[in-house]
Coordinates of all heavy atoms in Angstrom, one line a residue:
M2 N 79.6 217.1 114.3 CA 78.4 216.6 114.9 C 78.7 215.4 115.8 O 78.1 215.3 116.8 CB 77.4 216.2 113.8 CG 76.8 217.4 113.0 SD 76.1 218.7 114.0 CE 74.8 217.8 114.8
K3 N 79.7 214.6 115.4 CA 80.1 213.5 116.2 C 80.7 214.0 117.5 O 80.4 213.4 118.6 CB 81.1 212.6 115.5 CG 80.6 211.8 114.4 CD 81.6 211.0 113.7 CE 81.1 210.2 112.5 NZ 82.1 209.5 111.8
A4 N 81.4 215.1 117.5 CA 82.0 215.7 118.7 C 80.9 216.2 119.7 O 81.0 216.1 120.9 CB 83.0 216.8 118.4
C5 N 79.8 216.8 119.1 CA 78.7 217.3 119.9 C 78.0 216.2 120.6 O 77.7 216.3 121.7 CB 77.8 218.1 119.0 SG 76.4 218.8 119.8
D6 N 77.6 215.2 119.8 CA 77.0 214.0 120.3 C 75.8 214.3 121.3 O 75.9 213.9 122.5 CB 78.0 213.1 120.9 CG 77.4 211.7 121.2 OD1 76.5 211.3 120.5 OD2 77.9 211.0 122.2
H7 N 74.9 215.1 120.9 CA 73.7 215.4 121.8 C 72.5 215.3 120.9 O 72.4 215.8 119.8 CB 73.9 216.8 122.3 CG 72.9 217.1 123.5 ND1 71.6 217.4 123.3 CD2 73.1 217.0 124.8 CE1 71.0 217.5 124.4 NE2 71.9 217.3 125.4
P8 N 71.4 214.6 121.4 CA 70.2 214.4 120.7 C 69.4 215.7 120.3 O 68.6 215.7 119.4 CB 69.4 213.5 121.6 CG 69.9 213.6 122.9 CD 71.4 214.0 122.8
S9 N 69.7 216.8 121.0 CA 69.0 218.0 120.8 C 69.7 218.9 119.7 O 69.2 220.0 119.4 CB 68.9 218.9 122.1 OG 68.1 218.2 123.0
V10 N 70.8 218.4 119.1 CA 71.5 219.1 118.1 C 71.4 218.4 116.8 O 71.5 217.2 116.7 CB 73.0 219.2 118.5 CG1 73.8 219.9 117.4 CG2 73.2 220.0 119.8
G11 N 71.1 219.2 115.8 CA 70.9 218.6 114.4 C 71.3 219.6 113.4 O 71.7 220.7 113.7
L12 N 71.1 219.2 112.1 CA 71.4 220.0 111.0 C 70.2 220.4 110.1 O 69.2 219.6 110.1 CB 72.4 219.3 110.1 CG 73.8 218.9 110.7 CD1 74.5 218.0 109.7 CD2 74.5 220.1 111.1
C13 N 70.3 221.4 109.4 CA 69.3 221.8 108.4 C 70.0 221.6 107.0 O 71.0 222.2 106.7 CB 68.9 223.3 108.6 SG 67.7 223.8 107.3
W14 N 69.3 220.7 106.2 CA 69.8 220.5 104.8 C 69.3 221.8 104.1 O 68.1 222.0 104.1 CB 69.2 219.3 104.2 CG 69.6 219.0 102.9 CD1 69.0 219.5 101.7 CD2 70.8 218.3 102.5 NE1 69.8 219.1 100.6 CE2 70.8 218.4 101.1 CE3 71.8 217.7 103.2 CZ2 71.9 217.8 100.3 CZ3 72.8 217.1 102.4 CH2 72.8 217.1 101.0
N15 N 70.2 222.5 103.5 CA 69.8 223.8 102.9 C 69.5 223.9 101.4 O 69.2 224.9 100.9 CB 70.8 224.9 103.3 CG 70.3 226.3 103.3 OD1 69.1 226.5 103.7 ND2 71.1 227.2 103.0
S16 N 69.7 222.7 100.7 CA 69.5 222.7 99.3 C 70.2 223.7 98.5 O 69.6 224.5 97.7 CB 67.9 222.8 99.0 OG 67.2 221.8 99.7
N17 N 71.5 223.7 98.7 CA 72.4 224.7 98.0 C 73.1 223.9 96.8 O 73.4 222.7 96.9 CB 73.5 225.2 98.9 CG 72.9 226.2 99.9 OD1 72.0 226.9 99.6 ND2 73.4 226.2 101.1
P18 N 73.5 224.7 95.8 CA 74.3 224.0 94.7 C 75.6 223.4 95.2 O 76.0 222.4 94.6 CB 74.6 225.2 93.8 CG 73.5 226.2 94.0 CD 73.2 226.0 95.5
T19 N 76.1 223.9 96.3 CA 77.4 223.3 96.8 C 77.2 221.9 97.4 O 78.1 221.2 97.7 CB 78.0 224.2 97.9 OG1 77.0 224.4 98.9 CG2 78.5 225.5 97.3
D20 N 75.9 221.4 97.5 CA 75.6 220.1 98.0 C 75.9 219.0 96.9 O 76.1 217.9 97.2 CB 74.1 219.9 98.3 CG 73.6 220.9 99.3 OD1 74.4 221.4 100.2 OD2 72.4 221.2 99.3
L21 N 76.0 219.5 95.7 CA 76.1 218.6 94.5 C 77.6 218.1 94.4 O 78.5 218.8 94.4 CB 75.8 219.2 93.2 CG 74.3 219.8 93.2 CD1 74.1 220.5 91.8 CD2 73.3 218.7 93.3
M22 N 77.7 216.8 94.5 CA 79.0 216.2 94.3 C 79.2 215.7 92.8 O 78.3 215.1 92.3 CB 79.2 214.9 95.2 CG 79.0 215.3 96.6 SD 80.4 216.3 97.2 CE 80.1 216.2 98.9
G23 N 80.2 216.2 92.2 CA 80.4 215.9 90.8 C 79.4 216.6 89.9 O 79.2 216.3 88.8
G24 N 78.8 217.6 90.5 CA 77.9 218.5 89.7 C 76.5 218.0 89.5 O 75.6 218.6 89.0
T25 N 76.2 216.7 90.0 CA 74.9 216.1 89.7 C 74.2 215.5 90.9 O 73.0 215.4 90.9 CB 75.0 215.1 88.6 OG1 75.9 214.1 89.0 CG2 75.5 215.7 87.3
S26 N 74.9 215.0 91.9 CA 74.3 214.2 92.9 C 74.5 214.8 94.3 O 75.6 215.2 94.6 CB 74.8 212.8 92.9 OG 74.3 212.0 93.9
V27 N 73.4 214.7 95.1 CA 73.5 215.1 96.5 C 73.8 213.9 97.4 O 74.0 214.1 98.6 CB 72.2 215.9 97.0 CG1 72.0 217.1 96.2 CG2 71.0 215.0 96.9
K28 N 73.7 212.7 96.9 CA 73.8 211.5 97.7 C 75.1 211.4 98.6 O 75.0 211.1 99.8 CB 73.7 210.2 96.9 CG 73.6 209.0 97.7 CD 73.3 207.8 96.9 CE 73.2 206.5 97.7 NZ 73.3 206.4 99.1
P29 N 76.3 211.7 98.1 CA 77.5 211.6 98.9 C 77.4 212.6 100.1 O 77.7 212.2 101.3 CB 78.6 211.9 98.0 CG 78.1 211.6 96.7 CD 76.7 211.9 96.7
A30 N 77.0 213.8 99.9 CA 76.8 214.8 101.0 C 75.7 214.4 101.9 O 75.8 214.5 103.2 CB 76.6 216.2 100.4
F31 N 74.6 213.9 101.4 CA 73.5 213.5 102.2 C 73.8 212.4 103.1 O 73.5 212.3 104.3 CB 72.3 213.1 101.3 CG 71.0 212.8 102.0 CD1 70.1 213.8 102.3 CD2 70.8 211.5 102.5 CE1 68.9 213.6 103.0 CE2 69.6 211.3 103.2 CZ 68.7 212.3 103.5
D32 N 74.5 211.4 102.5 CA 74.9 210.2 103.3 C 75.8 210.6 104.5 O 75.7 210.0 105.6 CB 75.6 209.2 102.5 CG 74.6 208.4 101.6 OD1 73.4 208.5 101.8 OD2 75.1 207.8 100.6
L33 N 76.7 211.6 104.3 CA 77.6 212.1 105.4 C 76.7 212.7 106.5 O 77.1 212.6 107.7 CB 78.6 213.1 104.9 CG 79.7 212.6 104.1 CD1 80.5 213.7 103.5 CD2 80.6 211.7 105.0
L34 N 75.7 213.4 106.2 CA 74.9 214.2 107.1 C 73.6 213.6 107.6 O 73.0 214.0 108.6 CB 74.6 215.6 106.5 CG 75.8 216.4 106.1 CD1 75.4 217.6 105.3 CD2 76.7 216.7 107.2
K35 N 73.2 212.5 107.0 CA 71.9 211.9 107.2 C 71.6 211.7 108.7 O 70.5 212.0 109.1 CB 71.9 210.5 106.5 CG 70.6 209.8 106.6 CD 70.5 208.5 105.8 CE 71.8 207.8 105.5 NZ 71.6 206.6 104.7
P36 N 72.5 211.2 109.5 CA 72.1 211.0 110.9 C 71.7 212.2 111.7 O 71.0 212.1 112.7 CB 73.4 210.4 111.6 CG 74.2 209.9 110.4 CD 73.9 210.8 109.3
W37 N 72.1 213.4 111.2 CA 71.8 214.6 111.9 C 70.8 215.6 111.2 O 70.6 216.6 111.7 CB 73.1 215.3 112.2 CG 74.1 214.5 112.9 CD1 74.1 214.2 114.2 CD2 75.2 213.8 112.4 NE1 75.1 213.3 114.6 CE2 75.8 213.1 113.4 CE3 75.8 213.7 111.1 CZ2 77.0 212.3 113.2 CZ3 76.9 212.9 110.9 CH2 77.5 212.2 112.0
I38 N 70.3 215.2 110.1 CA 69.3 216.1 109.4 C 68.0 216.1 110.2 O 67.3 215.1 110.4 CB 69.1 215.6 108.0 CG1 70.4 215.7 107.2 CG2 68.0 216.5 107.3 CD1 70.3 215.1 105.8
R39 N 67.7 217.3 110.7 CA 66.5 217.6 111.5 C 65.5 218.5 110.8 O 64.4 218.7 111.2 CB 66.9 218.2 112.8 CG 67.8 217.4 113.7 CD 67.1 216.1 114.3 NE 68.0 215.4 115.2 CZ 68.9 214.4 114.8 NH1 68.9 214.1 113.5 NH2 69.6 213.9 115.7
N40 N 66.0 219.1 109.7 CA 65.2 220.1 109.0 C 65.6 220.2 107.6 O 66.8 219.9 107.3 CB 65.3 221.5 109.7 CG 64.0 222.2 109.7 OD1 63.2 222.2 108.8 ND2 63.8 222.9 110.8
V41 N 64.8 220.5 106.7 CA 65.1 220.6 105.3 C 64.6 221.9 104.7 O 63.4 222.3 104.9 CB 64.6 219.4 104.4 CG1 64.9 219.6 103.0 CG2 65.1 218.1 104.9
H42 N 65.4 222.7 104.1 CA 65.1 224.0 103.5 C 65.1 223.8 102.0 O 66.1 223.3 101.5 CB 66.1 225.1 103.9 CG 65.9 226.3 103.2 ND1 66.7 226.7 102.1 CD2 65.1 227.4 103.4 CE1 66.4 227.9 101.7 NE2 65.4 228.3 102.5
I43 N 64.0 224.1 101.4 CA 63.9 224.1 99.9 C 63.5 225.4 99.4 O 63.1 226.3 100.2 CB 62.9 223.0 99.4 CG1 61.5 223.3 99.8 CG2 63.4 221.6 99.9 CD1 60.5 222.3 99.3
N44 N 63.6 225.6 98.1 CA 63.1 226.9 97.5 C 62.3 226.5 96.3 O 61.8 225.3 96.3 CB 64.3 227.8 97.2 CG 65.5 227.1 96.5 OD1 65.3 226.3 95.7 ND2 66.7 227.4 97.0
E45 N 62.2 227.3 95.3 CA 61.3 227.0 94.2 C 61.8 225.7 93.5 O 63.0 225.5 93.2 CB 61.4 228.1 93.2 CG 61.0 229.5 93.7 CD 59.5 229.6 94.0 OE1 58.8 228.7 93.8 OE2 59.1 230.7 94.4
L46 N 60.9 224.8 93.3 CA 61.3 223.4 92.9 C 61.5 223.3 91.4 O 61.8 222.3 90.9 CB 60.2 222.4 93.3 CG 60.0 222.3 94.8 CD1 58.9 221.3 95.1 CD2 61.3 221.7 95.4
W47 N 61.5 224.5 90.7 CA 61.8 224.4 89.3 C 63.2 224.8 89.0 O 63.6 224.9 87.8 CB 60.8 225.2 88.4 CG 60.7 226.6 88.8 CD1 61.5 227.6 88.6 CD2 59.6 227.1 89.6 NE1 61.0 228.8 89.2 CE2 59.9 228.5 89.8 CE3 58.4 226.6 90.2 CZ2 59.0 229.4 90.5 CZ3 57.6 227.4 90.9 CH2 57.9 228.8 91.0
N48 N 64.0 225.1 90.0 CA 65.4 225.5 89.8 C 66.2 224.2 89.5 O 65.7 223.1 89.7 CB 66.0 226.4 90.9 CG 66.2 225.7 92.2 OD1 66.1 224.5 92.3 ND2 66.4 226.4 93.2
D49 N 67.4 224.4 89.1 CA 68.3 223.3 88.7 C 68.9 222.7 89.9 O 70.1 223.0 90.3 CB 69.4 223.9 87.8 CG 70.1 222.8 87.0 OD1 69.6 221.7 86.9 OD2 71.2 223.0 86.6
Y50 N 68.2 221.8 90.5 CA 68.7 221.0 91.7 C 68.0 219.6 91.6 O 66.9 219.5 91.2 CB 68.2 221.7 93.0 CG 68.8 221.2 94.3 CD1 70.1 221.7 94.7 CD2 68.2 220.3 95.0 CE1 70.6 221.3 95.9 CE2 68.8 219.8 96.2 CZ 70.0 220.3 96.6 OH 70.5 219.8 97.8
P51 N 68.7 218.6 92.0 CA 68.1 217.2 91.9 C 67.1 216.9 93.0 O 67.3 216.2 93.9 CB 69.4 216.3 92.1 CG 70.3 217.1 92.9 CD 70.1 218.6 92.5
W52 N 65.9 217.6 92.9 CA 64.9 217.5 93.9 C 64.4 216.0 94.1 O 64.2 215.6 95.2 CB 63.7 218.4 93.6 CG 64.1 219.8 93.6 CD1 64.1 220.7 92.5 CD2 64.5 220.6 94.7 NE1 64.5 221.9 92.9 CE2 64.8 221.9 94.3 CE3 64.7 220.3 96.1 CZ2 65.2 222.9 95.1 CZ3 65.1 221.3 96.9 CH2 65.4 222.6 96.5
R53 N 64.2 215.3 93.0 CA 63.7 214.0 93.1 C 64.7 213.1 93.9 O 64.3 212.3 94.8 CB 63.4 213.3 91.8 CG 62.7 211.9 92.0 CD 62.2 211.4 90.7 NE 61.2 212.2 90.0 CZ 59.9 212.1 90.3 NH1 59.4 211.4 91.3 NH2 59.0 212.9 89.7
E54 N 65.9 213.2 93.6 CA 67.0 212.5 94.3 C 66.9 212.8 95.8 O 66.9 212.0 96.7 CB 68.4 212.7 93.8 CG 69.4 212.0 94.5 CD 70.8 212.4 94.1 OE1 71.1 213.5 93.7 OE2 71.7 211.5 94.3
L55 N 66.9 214.1 96.2 CA 66.8 214.6 97.5 C 65.6 214.0 98.3 O 65.7 213.4 99.3 CB 66.9 216.1 97.7 CG 66.7 216.6 99.1 CD1 67.8 216.2 100.0 CD2 66.5 218.1 99.1
F56 N 64.4 214.1 97.6 CA 63.2 213.7 98.3 C 63.2 212.1 98.4 O 62.7 211.6 99.4 CB 62.0 214.2 97.5 CG 61.6 215.6 97.8 CD1 62.4 216.6 97.4 CD2 60.5 215.9 98.5 CE1 62.1 217.9 97.7 CE2 60.1 217.2 98.8 CZ 60.9 218.2 98.4
T57 N 63.8 211.4 97.5 CA 63.9 210.0 97.6 C 64.8 209.6 98.8 O 64.5 208.7 99.6 CB 64.4 209.4 96.3 OG1 63.5 209.7 95.2 CG2 64.7 207.9 96.4
L58 N 65.9 210.3 98.9 CA 66.9 210.1 100.0 C 66.2 210.4 101.3 O 66.4 209.6 102.3 CB 68.1 210.9 99.8 CG 69.0 210.5 98.7 CD1 70.1 211.5 98.4 CD2 69.7 209.1 99.0
L59 N 65.4 211.4 101.4 CA 64.7 211.8 102.6 C 63.7 210.6 103.0 O 63.6 210.2 104.1 CB 63.9 213.1 102.5 CG 64.8 214.3 102.4 CD1 64.0 215.5 102.0 CD2 65.5 214.6 103.8
R60 N 62.9 210.2 102.0 CA 62.0 209.1 102.2 C 62.7 207.8 102.7 O 62.3 207.2 103.7 CB 61.2 208.8 100.9 CG 60.2 207.6 101.1 CD 59.4 207.3 99.9 NE 60.2 207.2 98.6 CZ 60.9 206.2 98.2 NH1 61.0 205.1 99.0 NH2 61.6 206.3 97.1
E61 N 63.8 207.5 102.0 CA 64.5 206.3 102.3 C 65.1 206.3 103.7 O 65.3 205.3 104.4 CB 65.5 206.0 101.3 CG 64.9 205.5 99.9 CD 65.9 205.4 98.8 OE1 67.1 205.8 99.0 OE2 65.6 204.9 97.7
S62 N 65.5 207.5 104.2 CA 66.1 207.7 105.5 C 65.1 207.7 106.6 O 65.4 207.7 107.8 CB 67.0 209.0 105.5 OG 66.1 210.1 105.6
G63 N 63.8 207.7 106.2 CA 62.7 207.8 107.3 C 62.4 209.2 107.7 O 61.8 209.4 108.8
Y64 N 62.9 210.2 107.0 CA 62.6 211.6 107.4 C 61.1 211.9 107.5 O 60.4 211.6 106.5 CB 63.3 212.6 106.4 CG 63.2 214.0 106.7 CD1 64.1 214.6 107.6 CD2 62.2 214.8 106.2 CE1 64.0 215.9 107.9 CE2 62.1 216.2 106.5 CZ 63.0 216.7 107.4 OH 62.9 218.1 107.7
Q65 N 60.7 212.3 108.6 CA 59.2 212.6 108.8 C 59.1 214.0 109.6 O 58.3 214.1 110.5 CB 58.6 211.5 109.6 CG 58.7 210.2 108.9 CD 57.5 209.3 109.2 OE1 56.5 209.7 109.8 NE2 57.5 208.1 108.6
R66 N 59.8 214.9 109.1 CA 59.8 216.2 109.8 C 59.3 217.3 108.8 O 58.7 217.0 107.8 CB 61.2 216.5 110.4 CG 61.6 215.5 111.4 CD 63.0 215.7 111.9 NE 63.1 216.9 112.7 CZ 63.1 217.0 114.0 NH1 63.0 215.9 114.7 NH2 63.2 218.2 114.6
Y67 N 59.6 218.5 109.1 CA 59.1 219.6 108.3 C 60.1 219.9 107.1 O 61.3 219.6 107.1 CB 59.0 220.9 109.1 CG 58.0 220.7 110.2 CD1 58.3 220.4 111.5 CD2 56.6 220.9 109.9 CE1 57.4 220.2 112.5 CE2 55.7 220.8 110.9 CZ 56.0 220.4 112.1 OH 55.1 220.3 113.1
T68 N 59.5 220.6 106.1 CA 60.3 221.2 105.0 C 60.0 222.7 105.0 O 58.8 223.1 105.0 CB 59.9 220.6 103.7 OG1 60.0 219.2 103.7 CG2 60.7 221.2 102.6
L69 N 61.0 223.5 105.1 CA 60.8 225.0 105.1 C 60.9 225.4 103.6 O 61.9 225.0 102.9 CB 62.0 225.6 105.9 CG 62.1 225.2 107.3 CD1 63.4 225.7 108.0 CD2 60.9 225.5 108.1
C70 N 60.0 226.1 103.1 CA 59.9 226.5 101.7 C 60.2 228.0 101.6 O 59.4 228.8 102.2 CB 58.6 226.2 101.1 SG 58.2 224.5 101.1
E71 N 61.2 228.4 101.0 CA 61.5 229.8 100.7 C 61.0 230.1 99.3 O 61.7 229.9 98.3 CB 63.0 230.0 100.8 CG 63.4 231.5 100.6 CD 64.9 231.7 100.7 OE1 65.6 230.8 101.1 OE2 65.3 232.8 100.4
I72 N 59.8 230.7 99.3 CA 59.1 230.9 98.0 C 58.4 232.3 98.2 O 58.4 232.9 99.2 CB 58.1 229.8 97.7 CG1 57.1 229.7 98.8 CG2 58.8 228.5 97.4 CD1 56.0 228.7 98.6
Q73 N 57.9 232.8 97.0 CA 57.2 234.0 97.0 C 56.0 234.0 97.8 O 55.3 233.0 98.0 CB 56.9 234.5 95.6 CG 58.2 234.9 94.9 CD 57.9 235.6 93.6 OE1 56.7 235.8 93.2 NE2 58.9 236.1 92.9
E74 N 55.6 235.2 98.3 CA 54.4 235.3 99.1 C 53.1 235.0 98.3 O 53.1 235.1 97.0 CB 54.3 236.8 99.5 CG 53.1 237.1 100.3 CD 53.1 238.6 100.7 OE1 54.1 239.3 100.6 OE2 52.0 239.1 101.2
T75 N 52.1 234.5 98.9 CA 50.9 234.1 98.2 C 49.7 234.7 99.0 O 49.8 234.8 100.2 CB 50.7 232.6 98.0 OG1 49.5 232.4 97.3 CG2 50.7 231.9 99.3
S76 N 48.6 234.9 98.3 CA 47.4 235.3 99.0 C 46.5 234.1 99.4 O 45.5 234.3 100.0 CB 46.6 236.3 98.1 OG 46.2 235.6 96.9
D77 N 46.9 232.9 98.9 CA 46.2 231.7 99.2 C 47.1 230.6 99.8 O 47.4 229.7 99.1 CB 45.5 231.2 97.9 CG 44.5 230.2 98.2 OD1 44.3 229.7 99.3 OD2 43.8 229.8 97.2
P78 N 47.5 230.8 101.1 CA 48.5 229.9 101.6 C 48.0 228.4 101.7 O 48.8 227.5 101.5 CB 48.8 230.4 103.0 CG 47.7 231.3 103.3 CD 47.1 231.8 102.0
V79 N 46.7 228.2 101.9 CA 46.2 226.8 102.0 C 46.4 226.1 100.7 O 46.9 225.0 100.6 CB 44.8 226.8 102.5 CG1 44.2 225.4 102.4 CG2 44.7 227.3 104.0
R80 N 46.0 226.8 99.6 CA 46.2 226.2 98.3 C 47.7 225.9 98.0 O 48.0 224.8 97.5 CB 45.7 227.2 97.2 CG 45.8 226.7 95.8 CD 45.1 227.7 94.8 NE 45.3 227.3 93.5 CZ 46.3 227.8 92.7 NH1 47.1 228.7 93.2 NH2 46.4 227.4 91.5
L81 N 48.5 226.8 98.4 CA 50.0 226.6 98.1 C 50.5 225.4 99.0 O 51.3 224.6 98.5 CB 50.8 227.9 98.5 CG 52.2 227.8 98.1 CD1 52.4 227.8 96.6 CD2 53.0 229.0 98.7
M82 N 50.1 225.3 100.2 CA 50.5 224.1 101.0 C 50.0 222.8 100.4 O 50.8 221.8 100.4 CB 50.0 224.3 102.5 CG 50.8 225.4 103.2 SD 50.4 225.5 105.0 CE 48.8 226.3 104.9
K83 N 48.8 222.8 99.9 CA 48.3 221.6 99.2 C 49.1 221.3 98.0 O 49.4 220.1 97.7 CB 46.8 221.8 98.9 CG 45.9 221.7 100.1 CD 44.5 221.9 99.7 CE 43.6 221.9 100.9 NZ 42.1 222.2 100.5
Y84 N 49.5 222.3 97.3 CA 50.4 222.1 96.1 C 51.7 221.5 96.5 O 52.1 220.6 95.9 CB 50.5 223.5 95.4 CG 51.6 223.6 94.3 CD1 51.3 223.0 93.1 CD2 52.8 224.2 94.5 CE1 52.3 223.0 92.1 CE2 53.7 224.2 93.5 CZ 53.5 223.7 92.3 OH 54.4 223.7 91.3
Y85 N 52.3 222.1 97.5 CA 53.6 221.5 97.9 C 53.5 220.1 98.5 O 54.4 219.3 98.4 CB 54.3 222.5 98.9 CG 55.3 223.4 98.1 CD1 54.8 224.6 97.6 CD2 56.6 223.1 98.0 CE1 55.6 225.4 96.8 CE2 57.4 223.9 97.3 CZ 57.0 225.1 96.7 OH 57.8 225.9 96.0
R86 N 52.4 219.9 99.2 CA 52.1 218.5 99.7 C 52.1 217.5 98.5 O 52.6 216.4 98.5 CB 50.8 218.5 100.5 CG 50.6 217.1 101.0 CD 49.3 217.1 101.9 NE 49.1 215.8 102.5 CZ 47.9 215.4 103.0 NH1 46.9 216.3 103.0 NH2 47.8 214.3 103.5
G87 N 51.4 217.9 97.4 CA 51.3 217.1 96.2 C 52.7 216.9 95.6 O 53.0 215.8 95.2
L88 N 53.5 217.9 95.6 CA 54.9 217.8 95.1 C 55.7 216.9 95.9 O 56.4 216.0 95.4 CB 55.5 219.2 95.0 CG 55.1 220.1 93.9 CD1 55.7 221.5 94.1 CD2 55.5 219.5 92.6
W89 N 55.6 217.0 97.3 CA 56.3 216.1 98.2 C 55.9 214.6 97.8 O 56.8 213.7 97.7 CB 55.9 216.3 99.6 CG 56.9 216.9 100.5 CD1 57.1 218.2 100.9 CD2 58.0 216.2 101.1 NE1 58.1 218.3 101.7 CE2 58.8 217.1 101.9 CE3 58.4 214.8 101.0 CZ2 59.9 216.7 102.6 CZ3 59.6 214.5 101.7 CH2 60.3 215.4 102.5
R90 N 54.6 214.4 97.7 CA 54.2 213.0 97.4 C 54.7 212.5 96.0 O 55.1 211.4 95.9 CB 52.6 212.9 97.4 CG 52.1 213.0 98.7 CD 50.6 212.9 98.7 NE 50.1 212.7 100.1 CZ 48.9 212.9 100.4 NH1 48.0 213.2 99.5 NH2 48.5 212.8 101.7
E91 N 54.7 213.4 95.0 CA 55.2 213.0 93.7 C 56.7 212.8 93.8 O 57.2 211.8 93.2 CB 54.9 214.1 92.7 CG 55.6 213.9 91.3 CD 55.3 212.5 90.7 OE1 54.2 211.9 90.9 OE2 56.1 212.1 89.9
L92 N 57.4 213.6 94.4 CA 58.9 213.5 94.4 C 59.4 212.4 95.3 O 60.6 212.0 95.2 CB 59.5 214.9 94.9 CG 59.4 216.0 93.9 CD1 59.8 217.3 94.5 CD2 60.2 215.7 92.6
T93 N 58.6 211.9 96.2 CA 59.0 210.7 97.0 C 58.4 209.4 96.5 O 58.6 208.4 97.1 CB 58.6 210.9 98.5 OG1 57.2 211.1 98.6 CG2 59.3 212.1 99.1
R94 N 57.7 209.5 95.4 CA 57.1 208.2 94.9 C 58.2 207.3 94.4 O 59.1 207.6 93.8 CB 56.2 208.6 93.7 CG 55.3 207.5 93.2 CD 54.2 208.1 92.3 NE 54.8 209.0 91.3 CZ 55.0 208.7 90.0 NH1 54.8 207.5 89.6 NH2 55.5 209.6 89.2
A95 N 58.0 206.0 94.8 CA 59.0 205.0 94.5 C 58.9 204.6 93.0 O 57.9 204.7 92.4 CB 58.9 203.8 95.4

């Protein structure tokens, strides 16, 4: 990313188990990529991933963009978006 050095180029944080350093923390990987994170991909928030740590790091970095959610289809998308909005607020609570 340093070699590219262009404001239109960024990264998507993909929320994979390989992000975990030492098996528990995403902070070392997040800190390396933080300047270029332009998008965040999450999936079901009950899987074994340090969601609160990730959301805290996003809040602390000033991230104010979108989160792509890879989840099952729903017949009530507005309700689901409100649910995920509530989760965002809870997971970024200081």
Side-chain angles (χ1 to χ4, degrees):
M2 291 305 298
K3 287 179 184 176
C5 180
D6 192 29
H7 194 281
S9 294
V10 177
L12 299 173
C13 177
W14 183 269
N15 204 32
S16 304
N17 290 325
T19 53
D20 304 333
L21 301 177
M22 302 292 192
T25 58
S26 179
V27 296
K28 186 171 180 5
F31 186 90
D32 286 344
L33 284 171
L34 303 174
K35 179 173 36 180
W37 302 285
I38 296 174
R39 303 286 186 270
N40 220 321
V41 176
H42 172 260
I43 63 174
N44 45 45
E45 303 289 3
L46 295 176
W47 54 78
N48 70 13
D49 193 22
Y50 191 86
W52 295 114
R53 185 171 299 277
E54 179 188 30
L55 174 63
F56 280 71
T57 298
L58 292 168
L59 290 167
R60 177 181 45 79
E61 290 173 351
S62 73
Y64 184 83
Q65 298 211 7
R66 298 175 67 101
Y67 296 97
T68 304
L69 306 171
C70 299
E71 183 179 348
I72 55 176
Q73 288 194 356
E74 180 180 349
T75 180
S76 61
D77 192 353
V79 173
R80 181 174 174 264
L81 188 68
M82 287 187 285
K83 288 178 181 179
Y84 169 74
Y85 267 85
R86 181 178 183 196
L88 284 172
W89 247 105
R90 287 182 171 163
E91 171 58 26
L92 290 170
T93 58
R94 191 166 46 100

